[in-house]
Amino acid sequence: MSIQHNRHSDPDPTDPSRAGSAAALSVERPGDSLALVRYTFGRLPTESLVLIGLHGGTTGGHLRLDFAAALNQPRHCAQRAASWLAGPAAEPTPDAVLAAVFTDAPPTQPQHKGTRVMQQLQQILSLEYDCPLVKTWYVGAGYVRDFECTDPRCCPYPGLDAEAELASALIRCPQLDALP
């Protein structure tokens, strides 16, 4: 899924009137996703679960949850997060959701920290709100990797250098370097 961002002096990446004039970010690229999280929240959070709604090629609702709470009550936190982001009161209702887990813990094989809450979230978004969780990134100990991929042949551990991936994305999309 791609997200259009503008190149005008107003760095608002959610402005649909300017969407056609900019390079698209891809949630499939770790640096692009990190840049989007940083732009949306003003920084890269720590010990957090971050969710960003995607709607019509732009971003929609977004939220950050304390990761410890999500780990302690995975079903409850997943239910509440899905409801806030894609439930009846959500406006606009997202077409899909991007997720990122931020933690100090390095990624481990074969499951990452937070697997239960991400499985619950994916299930609830899909079954209750018909909203897919299209991508989840694991950001831990300075590395970023696809949360779902545990095959070291395509996604070697510990992952890609998070700072380098973010820097590369900010060079390609400098409008995201201007924090709101």
Side-chain angles (χ1 to χ4, degrees):
M1 177 170 276
S2 294
I3 304 167
Q4 293 291 320
H5 290 267
N6 67 59
R7 294 185 187 273
H8 300 283
S9 59
D10 172 10
D12 179 6
T14 64
D15 183 352
S17 69
R18 298 190 183 164
S21 64
L25 291 179
S26 172
V27 298
E28 296 297 323
R29 288 190 201 115
D32 288 9
S33 294
L34 289 172
L36 181 60
V37 169
R38 182 178 171 267
Y39 181 87
T40 302
F41 291 93
R43 64 183 174 83
L44 291 178
T46 57
E47 297 304 319
S48 300
L49 170 59
V50 168
L51 303 170
I52 298 177
L54 307 173
H55 177 75
T58 63
T59 58
H62 52 274
L63 63 112
R64 186 203 67 79
L65 301 166
D66 287 337
F67 196 42
L71 292 174
N72 290 334
Q73 296 182 316
R75 178 85 181 160
H76 175 74
C77 283
Q79 184 68 55
R80 298 214 44 205
S83 176
W84 290 330
L85 200 60
E91 185 59 39
T93 303
D95 302 320
V97 173
L98 167 69
V101 170
F102 289 86
T103 181
D104 291 334
T108 58
Q109 299 174 347
Q111 290 187 325
H112 304 303
K113 186 177 178 183
T115 298
R116 278 192 63 219
V117 70
M118 296 315 302
Q119 289 170 338
Q120 293 288 320
L121 182 63
Q122 185 172 24
Q123 180 182 36
I124 292 165
L125 281 169
S126 176
L127 296 177
E128 293 184 27
Y129 300 107
D130 194 28
C131 182
L133 182 60
V134 292
K135 191 67 173 183
T136 302
W137 293 102
Y138 186 95
V139 185
Y143 296 96
V144 58
R145 63 174 292 110
D146 184 325
F147 191 93
E148 305 254 330
C149 185
T150 56
D151 184 349
R153 293 172 294 178
C154 68
C155 301
Y157 282 85
L160 302 169
D161 181 280
E163 286 296 321
E165 291 295 313
L166 176 60
S168 176
L170 292 176
I171 289 168
R172 263 190 336 88
C173 301
Q175 71 275 19
L176 292 177
D177 204 16
L179 295 176

